[in-house]
Amino acid sequence: MKSISNMVLGLAATAMLCGSLAEPSMAQDGTPAKQLFGAVRLPNAAPPAPLGFYAKGCMSGAVALPTDGPTWQAMRLSRNRRWGNPAMIDLLEQFSRDAAGLGWGTGILVGDISQPRGGPMPSGHASHQIGLDADIWFTPKPGQPMTAQQRENLPFTSMLDKSKFLTVDSRKWTSTHARLVMQAASYPQVQRIFVNPAIKKKLCQTWTGDRSLLGKVRPVYGHDEHFHIRMNCPPGAAGCERQAATPSTDDCDSKALAWWFTKEPWAPPKPADPNKKPVKPRQVMLSDLPKACTAVLAAPSHSEAEATYGGEPVAYSSQPAPPAAVGQIDDAIASDPANVPAEVPLPRERPFR
Ligand SMILES: [Zn+2]
């Protein structure tokens, strides 16, 4: 099969010669970056490049994961977040085949990757900004393709027993779930995986395969209905900021994991000092992102990307908001606390790397 990345590189070159669709212009002064990037519907035409960090950057030359493949289905299409670095799309295709091989239904359900040009999002994630993060549902792909509406409405299934404190529900969690997560961790191009602390603990207690891969599996709030795959910066991606390596041990006795099982992360925030003026969190602006992101945002749309996008009539901006959950409380790097809805109990400190 011809790789999507090669195909799109070719298309990119064509688009640059032929001119392309213009994006609606938007005043950038004073508009938070999440609104600017959230309003763009298609990627720019350029060689693929992750620019900046997972939680502070953007993406050039994105490609879309097709809505349907033999072993995957993209979910919540209205969000228009199935754009990624071609390396990410290739990985998801490979992972979906491997997942089906493990007996994970007929493959995977893919949640958010990134917006067409990456960048901060108006809702949800703190990361997913450079096309190298993807969320995978803890629900296998059914045999039949779902309609666009079914993909909007299918409820998430938590792996936790909500009647207990931070405990995996043994009626839902199976050894296939464990193998699915560990399969994702096994690819050398995967930098880390985020799962709920209860899931990490469960894997620590039960995983009999290569224990060193468990170090890549990082505990974080949320991530009980989906898990999150983060890729390394692709080779030669000069503008991509690397994240520190994960431990090469299973990291099961770490303070970071134990901390989640203390009261501290779940305690209500201390009342604000009445003598202090409340500090309003500052919005991330375009000028806070790598300089190259300004050009990425302003570039004309990739005229051929409409085809990659699938052309299906998804009214991504006018549909009702999908049920909140995936990525609502994302991610390990909460660089933008303003993104997190107030009603979500948020751990006060985040001792993860
Ligand atoms: Zn995520």
Side-chain angles (χ1 to χ4, degrees), residues 40 83 96 188 201-202 264 288 306 320 327 336:
V40 180
W83 301 91
S96 73
K201 189 177 173 186
K202 187 77 176 174
E264 197 189 346
D288 296 319
E306 194 85 51
D336 185 6

Side-chain angles (χ1 to χ4, degrees), residues 39-353:
V40 180
R41 191 167 164 255
L42 290 170
N44 62 331
L51 299 164
F53 194 60
Y54 304 93
K56 197 173 201 176
C58 66
M59 161 173 56
S60 193
V63 294
L65 179 75
T67 55
D68 292 86
T71 45
W72 75 84
Q73 284 177 43
M75 299 296 286
R76 309 290 197 245
L77 302 176
S78 69
R79 294 162 74 104
N80 195 25
R81 292 178 181 173
R82 56 192 175 86
W83 301 91
N85 184 285
M88 182 88 235
I89 306 305
D90 287 348
L91 174 72
L92 289 171
E93 294 189 7
Q94 182 185 351
F95 177 51
S96 73
R97 285 191 296 273
D98 294 341
L102 290 173
W104 181 252
T106 58
I108 58 173
L109 299 181
V110 181
D112 286 358
I113 310 172
S114 291
Q115 298 174 138
R117 302 185 195 198
M121 302 188 189
S123 62
H125 318 272
S127 65
H128 289 254
Q129 295 192 20
I130 56 174
L132 297 175
D133 294 282
D135 289 339
I136 309 298
W137 286 47
F138 276 130
T139 305
K141 177 177 108 54
Q144 294 302 312
M146 285 179 271
T147 64
Q149 202 56 50
Q150 285 168 331
R151 295 175 204 222
E152 294 299 319
N153 298 342
L154 186 73
F156 297 101
T157 302
S158 173
M159 294 297 111
L160 301 187
D161 182 341
K162 299 286 171 155
S163 69
K164 297 179 180 148
F165 172 67
L166 214 52
T167 306
V168 165
D169 190 336
S170 54
R171 291 161 300 182
K172 293 179 188 154
W173 182 261
T174 68
S175 61
T176 312
H177 289 75
R179 282 186 294 160
L180 181 77
V181 172
M182 297 310 290
Q183 177 68 37
S186 74
Y187 304 110
Q189 62 270 47
V190 168
Q191 209 270 346
R192 64 186 62 209
I193 303 283
F194 293 118
V195 296
N196 186 275
I199 293 175
K200 167 82 191 212
K201 189 177 173 186
K202 187 77 176 174
L203 289 169
C204 284
Q205 290 166 342
T206 57
W207 184 245
T208 53
D210 181 352
R211 298 282 297 186
S212 68
L213 287 177
L214 277 171
K216 276 193 189 180
V217 181
R218 313 304 302 162
V220 67
Y221 193 82
H223 297 83
D224 57 312
E225 299 156 328
H226 74 280
F227 65 101
H228 175 137
I229 299 177
R230 171 165 297 168
M231 292 184 77
N232 286 303
C233 291
C240 182
E241 194 182 322
R242 290 160 192 273
Q243 186 164 14
T246 54
S248 52
T249 62
D250 64 19
D251 208 39
C252 286
D253 52 4
S254 70
K255 277 189 185 151
L257 179 58
W259 179 80
W260 289 104
F261 294 88
T262 66
K263 289 203 172 116
E264 197 189 346
W266 317 99
K270 290 195 185 98
D273 183 344
N275 299 321
K276 272 193 188 158
K277 239 183 154 181
V279 185
K280 212 178 160 209
R282 197 182 152 274
Q283 298 275 13
V284 173
M285 307 303 285
L286 188 55
S287 56
D288 296 319
L289 302 178
K291 271 204 175 70
C293 292
T294 303
V296 167
L297 189 68
S301 288
H302 191 321
S303 62
E304 307 284 345
E306 194 85 51
T308 323
Y309 180 56
E312 78 276 20
V314 174
Y316 73 100
S317 57
S318 59
Q319 287 202 355
V326 164
Q328 195 59 268
I329 319 149
D330 236 332
D331 275 331
I333 305 139
S335 64
D336 185 6
N339 270 349
V340 179
E343 68 270 19
V344 174
L346 184 69
R348 284 185 291 125
E349 288 169 49
R350 302 189 155 211
F352 24 73
R353 302 183 296 146

